[in-house]
Amino acid sequence: VGLIAVVIIGLTIAFGESVITYFPKVILGAVLMYLGLIFLVEWAYETWFALPKIDIFIIWMILFVIATLEFLQGVAVGFLAAVIMFAVSCSLTEVVRHELTGKSYQSQVTRLLEQRQVLDREGEKIFILQLQGFIFFGTVDRLFNKIKTRLNDKRTPQPHFVVLDFHRVENLDSTGMLSFRKLKALTTDLKIHIVITAPTLKIKRQLEKGGLPSSNPFIHYFSNLDAGLEWCEDMILQI
């Protein structure tokens, strides 16, 4: 098949498209049919045993659209399905890597024994969430609900500080800013400070422009988690 294809292409380049008329149509049709069948076997059958079922569903959907409509429509449907699948897959990813409190995780600053005892006793007032991955509307909404559940939990002390560590956050999409604004409204009403640590310069600009400005007395930015925790602990010790 490969040799026949090369010969046909070479003769066509050398003598023009009229050369094709000398080949029996059955041969040309057979070559096209063979290549088409190889493509179908590779993508419609063999992938059944190699790819996740959702990917197989998209492949079969593209094939159906191309067969019933046209090629470009199939490409468009496949692209749209892939985007939707990516959004759903990312939204199912856990955005919170670790959920801690100031009692179980403290700053590295050296403190007096009495101060450590106070922080051990009052550590539940610091609620720490170490975030990860890609944050957009699908994941940040789950983050908001997690924080809201914690603030409404009557079995534990009310946090005074919600620490969001962005050290492992790869990117922040603008679609997630609505949930961050809802979080700011919720914590401001309860007089709770939002402490944002280790954001990249780009993410910090997005957060400030999206409704979490550093000028707000309840919004605070720090270069790393340890610095943010030290500030929270100092505030507790001053009470």
Side-chain angles (χ1 to χ4, degrees):
V1 175
L3 181 59
I4 292 175
V6 170
V7 170
I8 294 175
I9 294 173
L11 292 176
T12 303
I13 293 175
F15 302 102
E17 61 183 13
S18 61
V19 174
I20 299 179
T21 61
Y22 293 98
F23 286 87
K25 293 182 179 179
V26 65
I27 294 180
L28 298 177
V31 171
L32 292 176
M33 182 175 291
Y34 178 79
L35 294 176
L37 289 174
I38 287 294
F39 179 82
L40 288 176
V41 170
E42 180 180 352
W43 286 102
Y45 174 73
E46 293 181 355
T47 54
W48 182 271
F49 307 99
L51 296 178
K53 293 299 182 286
I54 184 64
D55 292 337
I56 297 172
F57 171 75
I58 293 176
I59 291 173
W60 276 91
M61 183 170 59
I62 295 173
L63 178 62
F64 176 78
V65 174
I66 292 176
T68 55
L69 298 176
E70 292 184 7
F71 179 77
L72 291 180
Q73 284 84 339
V75 172
V77 169
F79 177 78
L80 180 61
V83 170
I84 294 174
M85 184 187 71
F86 172 77
V88 172
S89 176
C90 288
S91 64
L92 294 177
T93 303
E94 182 55 59
V95 68
V96 178
R97 181 181 178 90
H98 292 120
E99 183 176 335
L100 307 165
T101 67
K103 185 175 182 179
S104 58
Y105 191 89
Q106 299 177 352
S107 68
Q108 299 179 5
V109 64
T110 302
R111 299 191 184 277
L112 300 175
L113 177 60
E114 294 80 4
Q115 293 176 325
R116 284 297 177 189
Q117 291 175 343
V118 172
L119 294 176
D120 288 338
R121 186 173 61 253
E122 305 292 335
E124 296 289 340
K125 294 181 178 179
I126 304 176
F127 184 43
I128 308 167
L129 294 172
Q130 292 181 302
L131 310 181
Q132 65 179 356
F134 177 54
I135 297 181
F136 69 116
F137 69 91
T139 53
V140 76
D141 190 60
R142 295 170 60 192
L143 172 64
F144 171 77
N145 290 329
K146 183 185 289 289
I147 296 175
K148 184 178 180 181
T149 301
R150 173 64 177 83
L151 298 182
N152 294 331
D153 189 356
K154 304 301 182 182
R155 298 171 298 177
T156 56
Q158 176 79 286
H160 290 186
F161 308 92
V162 174
V163 180
L164 302 178
D165 183 40
F166 280 76
H167 177 65
R168 292 184 174 86
V169 174
E170 301 171 1
N171 203 354
L172 171 63
D173 190 79
S174 58
T175 58
M177 290 311 306
L178 176 61
S179 293
F180 278 113
R181 287 194 291 270
K182 288 165 56 179
L183 175 62
K184 184 192 73 171
L186 174 64
T187 54
T188 301
D189 291 341
L190 298 175
K191 306 300 182 182
I192 297 174
H193 295 266
I194 296 179
V195 179
I196 299 172
T197 65
T200 63
L201 183 59
K202 177 183 177 181
I203 291 178
K204 183 179 178 181
R205 288 174 179 171
Q206 286 179 276
L207 292 171
E208 289 191 327
K209 291 181 179 179
L212 277 73
S214 55
S215 58
N216 189 303
F218 290 96
I219 307 294
H220 313 274
Y221 290 88
F222 293 92
S223 59
N224 55 68
L225 178 59
D226 192 67
L229 288 178
E230 181 180 348
W231 180 83
C232 295
E233 291 171 355
D234 290 341
M235 294 293 290
I236 291 176
L237 293 174
Q238 292 175 11
I239 299 176

